[in-house]
Amino acid sequence: MTNILIIYTGGTIGMVNDPATGALMPFDFKQIKENVPELSRLEYNLSVHSFDPLIDSSNMTPAIWVELAELIKREYDNYEGFVILHGSDTMSFTASALSFMLENLSKPVVFTGSQLPIGEIRTDAKENIITALEIAATRQNGLAMVPEVCVYFDYQLFRGNRSIKYNSEKFEAFRSPNYPVMAEAGVHLRFNQNYILPVPSSALQLQTRFNPNIGVLKMYPGISVQAVEAITESPVEAIILEAFGSGNVPTAGWFIERLKRAIDAGKIIVDITQCKRGSVQLGVYETSKQLQEIGVLSGFDMTYEATVTKLMYVLGLELPLSETRRLIETPLRGELTPM
């Protein structure tokens, strides 16, 4: 029998109607087979760990990421795979964070959730749970088919640090704009092995030090000196620069000077695009060439969620500045495609 640990953090997926009040309330996931009877047909040994108290995903923090990662590390030898039930709003942040924390991961960690509570007639929760469990249990030649942190939602499996939530109203809530899906669930569960990382040969390593001291500078036409300085002169250690197109920004002297002043003070600035699809290409246009010259780093095709969590992770390593800068532009868990 395959042993799978279900970790319920909270979120819409675990809600049922209270018969007395009609209000939504979390159900006891230890009784999951009563609510999803189809699970009894799967030949898995299922264990459930529920967070107490349950967490609305809008309240997710690095401290909770650490709690999740430590739980997986502690139970790592007891299970073949892990399914994490999580609110969809910040699921991509948590999946990205865990991908960096769990180095040399050789077992599936599958995030899923739902847009409708499990107690609703038209819920998407049951299919998402059942298929996430199947993915977590699938092995080939004795090894996990997907030795990664990933997100399963609405018949598609995404690399966790490549996923984004793009729709709050459709069952198709997630996309992976710059990386192909790793599996699709139709009549058959088909894995795209060319897009899945190989099983590592080294033992699992856990990194739990996250440094959240980062800021975000989002570009818009007419941005003022005061708005820029509010970020560049704040006591943050790194700044995410959300630029136009392929990494472009205004060429005004005052703007470039504010960025250069921040870099000279030891701050790291990472350029990512506001576009959902595409990559930063520093130096292709005059409007990004100056960024390259002053030491702004390229985020290439990283999502905003992956950039945030990767910066927290790399800063937490407390490495020399030159090595920190190198790691940011280096793919660590398949989170970026270098040009």
Side-chain angles (χ1 to χ4, degrees):
M1 296 282 281
T2 301
N3 299 312
I4 304 293
L5 179 61
I6 299 173
I7 302 171
Y8 176 43
T9 66
T12 300
I13 193 168
M15 298 295 177
V16 293
N17 285 103
D18 185 332
T21 66
L24 289 173
M25 58 177 287
F27 85 124
D28 184 358
F29 256 94
K30 292 180 180 178
Q31 301 170 328
I32 189 170
K33 288 187 178 180
E34 296 177 16
N35 291 273
V36 190
E38 295 88 347
L39 294 180
S40 62
R41 299 175 61 184
L42 299 174
E43 295 183 353
Y44 308 148
N45 283 326
L46 301 180
S47 300
V48 179
H49 176 94
S50 291
F51 272 52
D52 186 15
L54 296 174
I55 303 154
D56 185 294
S57 70
S58 296
N59 290 322
M60 195 56 60
T61 65
I64 301 171
W65 297 340
V66 170
E67 188 175 349
L68 266 173
E70 288 180 338
L71 172 61
I72 291 170
K73 180 68 165 62
R74 190 165 61 247
E75 299 289 351
Y76 196 68
D77 293 334
N78 299 325
Y79 297 94
E80 280 72 56
F82 302 85
V83 171
I84 300 177
L85 307 179
H86 191 291
S88 61
D89 286 350
T90 60
M91 187 183 295
S92 290
F93 286 95
T94 304
S96 295
L98 259 65
S99 76
F100 297 118
M101 299 172 79
L102 299 170
E103 185 176 358
N104 298 324
L105 181 67
S106 62
K107 298 182 180 182
V109 176
V110 187
F111 279 82
T112 195
S114 66
Q115 295 288 68
L116 286 176
I118 200 167
E120 296 287 333
I121 293 175
R122 295 180 51 252
T123 185
D124 54 330
K126 291 185 178 181
E127 194 284 324
N128 284 348
I129 291 175
I130 290 168
T131 306
L133 288 168
E134 286 192 287
I135 291 166
T138 301
R139 300 173 74 80
Q140 181 174 261
N141 300 323
L143 300 175
M145 180 66 80
V146 187
E148 295 198 34
V149 178
C150 45
V151 169
Y152 177 77
F153 227 92
D154 194 47
Y155 306 107
Q156 294 186 308
L157 182 70
F158 311 103
R159 177 169 291 163
N161 57 38
R162 291 285 193 156
S163 68
I164 62 170
K165 183 177 181 182
Y166 92 103
N167 199 309
S168 63
E169 296 184 345
K170 291 186 177 182
F171 290 145
E172 186 192 357
F174 287 82
R175 283 188 177 174
S176 176
N178 289 316
Y179 197 78
V181 297
M182 298 196 296
E184 295 181 86
V187 175
H188 302 285
L189 184 54
R190 299 192 182 279
F191 293 90
N192 298 320
Q193 290 180 280
N194 290 340
Y195 304 121
I196 299 173
L197 293 175
V199 177
S201 57
S202 301
L204 178 71
Q205 298 292 322
L206 181 63
Q207 163 62 33
T208 59
R209 290 179 300 172
F210 267 63
N211 183 345
N213 192 23
I214 61 176
V216 180
L217 179 58
K218 190 179 182 77
M219 289 291 94
Y220 58 88
I223 192 168
S224 67
V225 174
Q226 292 81 4
V228 172
E229 288 182 345
I231 302 299
T232 59
E233 297 188 9
S234 66
V236 296
E237 296 177 44
I239 297 168
I240 298 172
L241 177 62
E242 285 198 74
F244 305 121
S246 57
N248 303 314
V249 296
T251 55
W254 68 264
F255 179 78
I256 301 300
E257 175 57 32
R258 271 26 177 222
L259 298 186
K260 184 177 185 303
R261 189 186 303 172
I263 292 170
D264 290 345
K267 292 181 173 65
I268 291 169
I269 300 181
V270 183
D271 188 351
I272 64 173
T273 176
Q274 294 180 18
C275 301
K276 295 303 181 186
R277 185 161 187 160
S279 180
V280 165
Q281 301 177 52
L282 290 182
V284 172
Y285 296 96
E286 182 61 31
T287 46
S288 69
K289 186 173 179 59
Q290 292 181 69
L291 297 181
Q292 194 175 40
E293 292 172 349
I294 65 172
V296 171
L297 302 177
S298 176
F300 298 102
D301 57 353
M302 277 196 294
T303 64
Y304 172 72
E305 293 86 343
T307 309
V308 167
T309 53
K310 183 175 183 178
L311 275 173
M312 290 183 181
Y313 165 75
V314 175
L315 290 175
L317 297 176
E318 298 181 349
L319 298 169
L321 182 60
S322 59
E323 179 64 6
T324 298
R325 289 173 58 87
R326 185 189 70 81
L327 288 180
I328 289 168
E329 292 190 318
T330 302
L332 303 178
R333 309 287 189 271
E335 75 282 358
L336 64 82
T337 309
M339 299 299 292

mmCIF file of all heavy atoms in Angstrom, residues 303-338:
data_model
loop_
_atom_site.group_PDB
_atom_site.id
_atom_site.type_symbol
_atom_site.label_atom_id
_atom_site.label_comp_id
_atom_site.label_asym_id
_atom_site.label_seq_id
_atom_site.Cartn_x
_atom_site.Cartn_y
_atom_site.Cartn_z
ATOM 1 N N THR A 303 7.978 34.229 -12.254
ATOM 2 C CA THR A 303 6.733 34.843 -11.815
ATOM 3 C C THR A 303 7.030 35.779 -10.648
ATOM 4 O O THR A 303 8.073 35.685 -9.993
ATOM 5 C CB THR A 303 5.722 33.784 -11.350
ATOM 6 O OG1 THR A 303 6.252 33.120 -10.182
ATOM 7 C CG2 THR A 303 5.436 32.754 -12.450
ATOM 8 N N TYR A 304 6.081 36.644 -10.382
ATOM 9 C CA TYR A 304 6.211 37.515 -9.210
ATOM 10 C C TYR A 304 6.307 36.675 -7.938
ATOM 11 O O TYR A 304 7.137 36.936 -7.060
ATOM 12 C CB TYR A 304 5.006 38.454 -9.144
ATOM 13 C CG TYR A 304 4.920 39.268 -7.878
ATOM 14 C CD1 TYR A 304 5.805 40.306 -7.641
ATOM 15 C CD2 TYR A 304 3.944 39.001 -6.916
ATOM 16 C CE1 TYR A 304 5.730 41.062 -6.476
ATOM 17 C CE2 TYR A 304 3.859 39.737 -5.758
ATOM 18 C CZ TYR A 304 4.751 40.770 -5.537
ATOM 19 O OH TYR A 304 4.680 41.505 -4.376
ATOM 20 N N GLU A 305 5.474 35.622 -7.857
ATOM 21 C CA GLU A 305 5.456 34.771 -6.670
ATOM 22 C C GLU A 305 6.802 34.082 -6.454
ATOM 23 O O GLU A 305 7.304 34.003 -5.326
ATOM 24 C CB GLU A 305 4.344 33.720 -6.799
ATOM 25 C CG GLU A 305 2.935 34.281 -6.772
ATOM 26 C CD GLU A 305 2.437 34.737 -8.143
ATOM 27 O OE1 GLU A 305 3.260 34.923 -9.066
ATOM 28 O OE2 GLU A 305 1.203 34.910 -8.300
ATOM 29 N N ALA A 306 7.390 33.578 -7.537
ATOM 30 C CA ALA A 306 8.688 32.918 -7.419
ATOM 31 C C ALA A 306 9.783 33.913 -7.066
ATOM 32 O O ALA A 306 10.702 33.596 -6.296
ATOM 33 C CB ALA A 306 9.030 32.197 -8.719
ATOM 34 N N THR A 307 9.703 35.124 -7.607
ATOM 35 C CA THR A 307 10.718 36.137 -7.319
ATOM 36 C C THR A 307 10.690 36.532 -5.851
ATOM 37 O O THR A 307 11.739 36.642 -5.198
ATOM 38 C CB THR A 307 10.514 37.378 -8.208
ATOM 39 O OG1 THR A 307 10.411 36.992 -9.580
ATOM 40 C CG2 THR A 307 11.675 38.348 -8.060
ATOM 41 N N VAL A 308 9.496 36.743 -5.322
ATOM 42 C CA VAL A 308 9.355 37.101 -3.906
ATOM 43 C C VAL A 308 9.971 36.028 -3.021
ATOM 44 O O VAL A 308 10.808 36.302 -2.144
ATOM 45 C CB VAL A 308 7.863 37.305 -3.544
ATOM 46 C CG1 VAL A 308 7.678 37.367 -2.025
ATOM 47 C CG2 VAL A 308 7.324 38.570 -4.176
ATOM 48 N N THR A 309 9.577 34.781 -3.234
ATOM 49 C CA THR A 309 10.020 33.712 -2.342
ATOM 50 C C THR A 309 11.486 33.359 -2.561
ATOM 51 O O THR A 309 12.188 33.012 -1.605
ATOM 52 C CB THR A 309 9.134 32.470 -2.515
ATOM 53 O OG1 THR A 309 9.070 32.106 -3.904
ATOM 54 C CG2 THR A 309 7.719 32.751 -2.033
ATOM 55 N N LYS A 310 11.959 33.450 -3.796
ATOM 56 C CA LYS A 310 13.374 33.166 -4.037
ATOM 57 C C LYS A 310 14.260 34.206 -3.359
ATOM 58 O O LYS A 310 15.296 33.861 -2.775
ATOM 59 C CB LYS A 310 13.669 33.123 -5.539
ATOM 60 C CG LYS A 310 15.118 32.746 -5.851
ATOM 61 C CD LYS A 310 15.379 32.586 -7.333
ATOM 62 C CE LYS A 310 16.806 32.142 -7.598
ATOM 63 N NZ LYS A 310 17.089 31.925 -9.034
ATOM 64 N N LEU A 311 13.867 35.462 -3.442
ATOM 65 C CA LEU A 311 14.643 36.498 -2.762
ATOM 66 C C LEU A 311 14.672 36.253 -1.253
ATOM 67 O O LEU A 311 15.729 36.360 -0.612
ATOM 68 C CB LEU A 311 14.051 37.882 -3.057
ATOM 69 C CG LEU A 311 14.511 38.561 -4.341
ATOM 70 C CD1 LEU A 311 13.725 39.842 -4.579
ATOM 71 C CD2 LEU A 311 16.004 38.864 -4.291
ATOM 72 N N MET A 312 13.519 35.922 -0.666
ATOM 73 C CA MET A 312 13.482 35.639 0.772
ATOM 74 C C MET A 312 14.411 34.472 1.113
ATOM 75 O O MET A 312 15.116 34.492 2.121
ATOM 76 C CB MET A 312 12.059 35.311 1.202
ATOM 77 C CG MET A 312 11.092 36.471 1.191
ATOM 78 S SD MET A 312 9.470 35.922 1.804
ATOM 79 C CE MET A 312 8.521 37.448 1.673
ATOM 80 N N TYR A 313 14.388 33.454 0.255
ATOM 81 C CA TYR A 313 15.212 32.262 0.478
ATOM 82 C C TYR A 313 16.699 32.578 0.345
ATOM 83 O O TYR A 313 17.498 32.239 1.223
ATOM 84 C CB TYR A 313 14.795 31.177 -0.522
ATOM 85 C CG TYR A 313 15.777 30.046 -0.660
ATOM 86 C CD1 TYR A 313 15.902 29.070 0.323
ATOM 87 C CD2 TYR A 313 16.602 29.948 -1.783
ATOM 88 C CE1 TYR A 313 16.815 28.030 0.196
ATOM 89 C CE2 TYR A 313 17.514 28.903 -1.920
ATOM 90 C CZ TYR A 313 17.613 27.949 -0.931
ATOM 91 O OH TYR A 313 18.516 26.923 -1.053
ATOM 92 N N VAL A 314 17.084 33.238 -0.738
ATOM 93 C CA VAL A 314 18.506 33.496 -0.982
ATOM 94 C C VAL A 314 19.060 34.472 0.055
ATOM 95 O O VAL A 314 20.180 34.292 0.556
ATOM 96 C CB VAL A 314 18.725 34.009 -2.418
ATOM 97 C CG1 VAL A 314 20.185 34.400 -2.633
ATOM 98 C CG2 VAL A 314 18.335 32.941 -3.433
ATOM 99 N N LEU A 315 18.286 35.496 0.404
ATOM 100 C CA LEU A 315 18.742 36.416 1.442
ATOM 101 C C LEU A 315 18.913 35.683 2.770
ATOM 102 O O LEU A 315 19.818 36.000 3.548
ATOM 103 C CB LEU A 315 17.749 37.572 1.611
ATOM 104 C CG LEU A 315 17.676 38.597 0.471
ATOM 105 C CD1 LEU A 315 16.563 39.606 0.744
ATOM 106 C CD2 LEU A 315 19.006 39.317 0.285
ATOM 107 N N GLY A 316 18.048 34.700 3.014
ATOM 108 C CA GLY A 316 18.132 33.936 4.254
ATOM 109 C C GLY A 316 19.381 33.081 4.364
ATOM 110 O O GLY A 316 19.770 32.677 5.461
ATOM 111 N N LEU A 317 20.031 32.799 3.243
ATOM 112 C CA LEU A 317 21.263 32.012 3.264
ATOM 113 C C LEU A 317 22.445 32.800 3.825
ATOM 114 O O LEU A 317 23.468 32.212 4.199
ATOM 115 C CB LEU A 317 21.603 31.528 1.848
ATOM 116 C CG LEU A 317 20.585 30.580 1.195
ATOM 117 C CD1 LEU A 317 21.003 30.272 -0.241
ATOM 118 C CD2 LEU A 317 20.442 29.296 1.991
ATOM 119 N N GLU A 318 22.317 34.132 3.836
ATOM 120 C CA GLU A 318 23.339 35.026 4.400
ATOM 121 C C GLU A 318 24.710 34.784 3.770
ATOM 122 O O GLU A 318 25.729 34.627 4.452
ATOM 123 C CB GLU A 318 23.400 34.880 5.926
ATOM 124 C CG GLU A 318 22.091 35.273 6.607
ATOM 125 C CD GLU A 318 22.145 35.153 8.108
ATOM 126 O OE1 GLU A 318 23.124 34.569 8.629
ATOM 127 O OE2 GLU A 318 21.216 35.635 8.775
ATOM 128 N N LEU A 319 24.728 34.771 2.466
ATOM 129 C CA LEU A 319 25.961 34.573 1.712
ATOM 130 C C LEU A 319 26.586 35.927 1.367
ATOM 131 O O LEU A 319 25.934 36.970 1.472
ATOM 132 C CB LEU A 319 25.648 33.807 0.420
ATOM 133 C CG LEU A 319 25.061 32.404 0.610
ATOM 134 C CD1 LEU A 319 24.541 31.872 -0.729
ATOM 135 C CD2 LEU A 319 26.090 31.469 1.211
ATOM 136 N N PRO A 320 27.850 35.933 0.920
ATOM 137 C CA PRO A 320 28.437 37.188 0.427
ATOM 138 C C PRO A 320 27.585 37.764 -0.705
ATOM 139 O O PRO A 320 26.933 37.014 -1.447
ATOM 140 C CB PRO A 320 29.814 36.752 -0.068
ATOM 141 C CG PRO A 320 30.125 35.516 0.714
ATOM 142 C CD PRO A 320 28.814 34.822 0.924
ATOM 143 N N LEU A 321 27.612 39.078 -0.847
ATOM 144 C CA LEU A 321 26.756 39.751 -1.817
ATOM 145 C C LEU A 321 26.956 39.223 -3.227
ATOM 146 O O LEU A 321 25.988 39.015 -3.969
ATOM 147 C CB LEU A 321 27.015 41.263 -1.780
ATOM 148 C CG LEU A 321 26.157 42.119 -2.719
ATOM 149 C CD1 LEU A 321 24.673 41.951 -2.407
ATOM 150 C CD2 LEU A 321 26.563 43.592 -2.622
ATOM 151 N N SER A 322 28.187 38.959 -3.622
ATOM 152 C CA SER A 322 28.450 38.482 -4.982
ATOM 153 C C SER A 322 27.804 37.118 -5.224
ATOM 154 O O SER A 322 27.261 36.856 -6.301
ATOM 155 C CB SER A 322 29.959 38.396 -5.236
ATOM 156 O OG SER A 322 30.569 37.504 -4.304
ATOM 157 N N GLU A 323 27.836 36.228 -4.234
ATOM 158 C CA GLU A 323 27.231 34.914 -4.375
ATOM 159 C C GLU A 323 25.704 35.010 -4.343
ATOM 160 O O GLU A 323 25.010 34.296 -5.078
ATOM 161 C CB GLU A 323 27.722 33.985 -3.255
ATOM 162 C CG GLU A 323 27.145 32.580 -3.276
ATOM 163 C CD GLU A 323 27.541 31.768 -4.508
ATOM 164 O OE1 GLU A 323 28.369 32.244 -5.311
ATOM 165 O OE2 GLU A 323 27.013 30.651 -4.673
ATOM 166 N N THR A 324 25.182 35.895 -3.522
ATOM 167 C CA THR A 324 23.736 36.127 -3.485
ATOM 168 C C THR A 324 23.242 36.584 -4.846
ATOM 169 O O THR A 324 22.240 36.077 -5.358
ATOM 170 C CB THR A 324 23.393 37.180 -2.413
ATOM 171 O OG1 THR A 324 23.784 36.684 -1.132
ATOM 172 C CG2 THR A 324 21.900 37.483 -2.398
ATOM 173 N N ARG A 325 23.950 37.539 -5.448
ATOM 174 C CA ARG A 325 23.566 38.037 -6.760
ATOM 175 C C ARG A 325 23.641 36.925 -7.806
ATOM 176 O O ARG A 325 22.773 36.816 -8.683
ATOM 177 C CB ARG A 325 24.482 39.208 -7.154
ATOM 178 C CG ARG A 325 24.242 40.482 -6.341
ATOM 179 C CD ARG A 325 25.299 41.564 -6.642
ATOM 180 N NE ARG A 325 25.322 41.899 -8.052
ATOM 181 C CZ ARG A 325 24.553 42.818 -8.633
ATOM 182 N NH1 ARG A 325 23.686 43.501 -7.900
ATOM 183 N NH2 ARG A 325 24.645 43.074 -9.921
ATOM 184 N N ARG A 326 24.639 36.080 -7.728
ATOM 185 C CA ARG A 326 24.782 34.990 -8.699
ATOM 186 C C ARG A 326 23.617 34.004 -8.595
ATOM 187 O O ARG A 326 23.049 33.581 -9.610
ATOM 188 C CB ARG A 326 26.106 34.258 -8.482
ATOM 189 C CG ARG A 326 26.396 33.187 -9.540
ATOM 190 C CD ARG A 326 27.597 32.346 -9.167
ATOM 191 N NE ARG A 326 27.326 31.466 -8.035
ATOM 192 C CZ ARG A 326 26.688 30.299 -8.142
ATOM 193 N NH1 ARG A 326 26.243 29.877 -9.320
ATOM 194 N NH2 ARG A 326 26.488 29.551 -7.073
ATOM 195 N N LEU A 327 23.252 33.646 -7.370
ATOM 196 C CA LEU A 327 22.180 32.669 -7.181
ATOM 197 C C LEU A 327 20.838 33.185 -7.678
ATOM 198 O O LEU A 327 20.010 32.418 -8.175
ATOM 199 C CB LEU A 327 22.070 32.286 -5.699
ATOM 200 C CG LEU A 327 23.175 31.408 -5.131
ATOM 201 C CD1 LEU A 327 22.917 31.115 -3.664
ATOM 202 C CD2 LEU A 327 23.295 30.110 -5.916
ATOM 203 N N ILE A 328 20.622 34.479 -7.562
ATOM 204 C CA ILE A 328 19.343 35.042 -7.990
ATOM 205 C C ILE A 328 19.139 34.860 -9.491
ATOM 206 O O ILE A 328 18.020 34.610 -9.954
ATOM 207 C CB ILE A 328 19.251 36.531 -7.580
ATOM 208 C CG1 ILE A 328 19.081 36.627 -6.055
ATOM 209 C CG2 ILE A 328 18.097 37.230 -8.294
ATOM 210 C CD1 ILE A 328 19.267 38.008 -5.504
ATOM 211 N N GLU A 329 20.206 34.940 -10.268
ATOM 212 C CA GLU A 329 20.097 34.777 -11.717
ATOM 213 C C GLU A 329 20.329 33.335 -12.168
ATOM 214 O O GLU A 329 20.372 33.061 -13.366
ATOM 215 C CB GLU A 329 21.089 35.707 -12.427
ATOM 216 C CG GLU A 329 20.734 37.181 -12.277
ATOM 217 C CD GLU A 329 21.574 38.077 -13.177
ATOM 218 O OE1 GLU A 329 22.804 37.828 -13.281
ATOM 219 O OE2 GLU A 329 21.021 39.006 -13.772
ATOM 220 N N THR A 330 20.452 32.418 -11.212
ATOM 221 C CA THR A 330 20.706 31.006 -11.520
ATOM 222 C C THR A 330 19.457 30.180 -11.242
ATOM 223 O O THR A 330 18.846 30.330 -10.184
ATOM 224 C CB THR A 330 21.865 30.470 -10.646
ATOM 225 O OG1 THR A 330 23.033 31.258 -10.880
ATOM 226 C CG2 THR A 330 22.149 29.010 -10.966
ATOM 227 N N PRO A 331 19.054 29.294 -12.169
ATOM 228 C CA PRO A 331 17.908 28.424 -11.873
ATOM 229 C C PRO A 331 18.258 27.418 -10.783
ATOM 230 O O PRO A 331 19.201 26.631 -10.943
ATOM 231 C CB PRO A 331 17.629 27.732 -13.213
ATOM 232 C CG PRO A 331 18.892 27.859 -13.996
ATOM 233 C CD PRO A 331 19.569 29.103 -13.525
ATOM 234 N N LEU A 332 17.522 27.452 -9.668
ATOM 235 C CA LEU A 332 17.783 26.563 -8.540
ATOM 236 C C LEU A 332 16.831 25.375 -8.514
ATOM 237 O O LEU A 332 17.230 24.257 -8.202
ATOM 238 C CB LEU A 332 17.680 27.336 -7.219
ATOM 239 C CG LEU A 332 18.594 28.560 -7.075
ATOM 240 C CD1 LEU A 332 18.347 29.235 -5.734
ATOM 241 C CD2 LEU A 332 20.053 28.177 -7.217
ATOM 242 N N ARG A 333 15.550 25.622 -8.825
ATOM 243 C CA ARG A 333 14.534 24.577 -8.797
ATOM 244 C C ARG A 333 13.665 24.617 -10.070
ATOM 245 O O ARG A 333 12.492 24.304 -10.029
ATOM 246 C CB ARG A 333 13.624 24.729 -7.572
ATOM 247 C CG ARG A 333 14.319 24.874 -6.242
ATOM 248 C CD ARG A 333 14.941 23.583 -5.727
ATOM 249 N NE ARG A 333 15.400 23.796 -4.356
ATOM 250 C CZ ARG A 333 16.611 24.238 -4.035
ATOM 251 N NH1 ARG A 333 17.518 24.463 -4.984
ATOM 252 N NH2 ARG A 333 16.949 24.411 -2.753
ATOM 253 N N GLY A 334 14.259 25.056 -11.163
ATOM 254 C CA GLY A 334 13.497 25.154 -12.410
ATOM 255 C C GLY A 334 12.577 26.353 -12.456
ATOM 256 O O GLY A 334 11.638 26.386 -13.255
ATOM 257 N N GLU A 335 12.866 27.376 -11.644
ATOM 258 C CA GLU A 335 11.972 28.531 -11.537
ATOM 259 C C GLU A 335 12.174 29.568 -12.630
ATOM 260 O O GLU A 335 11.341 30.468 -12.796
ATOM 261 C CB GLU A 335 12.132 29.183 -10.163
ATOM 262 C CG GLU A 335 13.407 29.998 -9.961
ATOM 263 C CD GLU A 335 14.656 29.165 -9.693
ATOM 264 O OE1 GLU A 335 14.557 27.927 -9.626
ATOM 265 O OE2 GLU A 335 15.746 29.758 -9.539
ATOM 266 N N LEU A 336 13.279 29.477 -13.364
ATOM 267 C CA LEU A 336 13.536 30.459 -14.421
ATOM 268 C C LEU A 336 14.236 29.800 -15.595
ATOM 269 O O LEU A 336 14.858 28.748 -15.464
ATOM 270 C CB LEU A 336 14.346 31.646 -13.894
ATOM 271 C CG LEU A 336 15.779 31.435 -13.371
ATOM 272 C CD1 LEU A 336 16.783 31.384 -14.508
ATOM 273 C CD2 LEU A 336 16.160 32.550 -12.407
ATOM 274 N N THR A 337 14.125 30.472 -16.736
ATOM 275 C CA THR A 337 14.806 30.034 -17.960
ATOM 276 C C THR A 337 15.824 31.108 -18.329
ATOM 277 O O THR A 337 15.446 32.189 -18.788
ATOM 278 C CB THR A 337 13.827 29.850 -19.129
ATOM 279 O OG1 THR A 337 12.743 29.025 -18.701
ATOM 280 C CG2 THR A 337 14.520 29.224 -20.318
ATOM 281 N N PRO A 338 17.123 30.873 -18.107
ATOM 282 C CA PRO A 338 18.111 31.902 -18.453
ATOM 283 C C PRO A 338 18.173 32.095 -19.949
ATOM 284 O O PRO A 338 18.012 31.150 -20.725
ATOM 285 C CB PRO A 338 19.418 31.325 -17.891
ATOM 286 C CG PRO A 338 19.198 29.852 -17.826
ATOM 287 C CD PRO A 338 17.735 29.647 -17.567
#
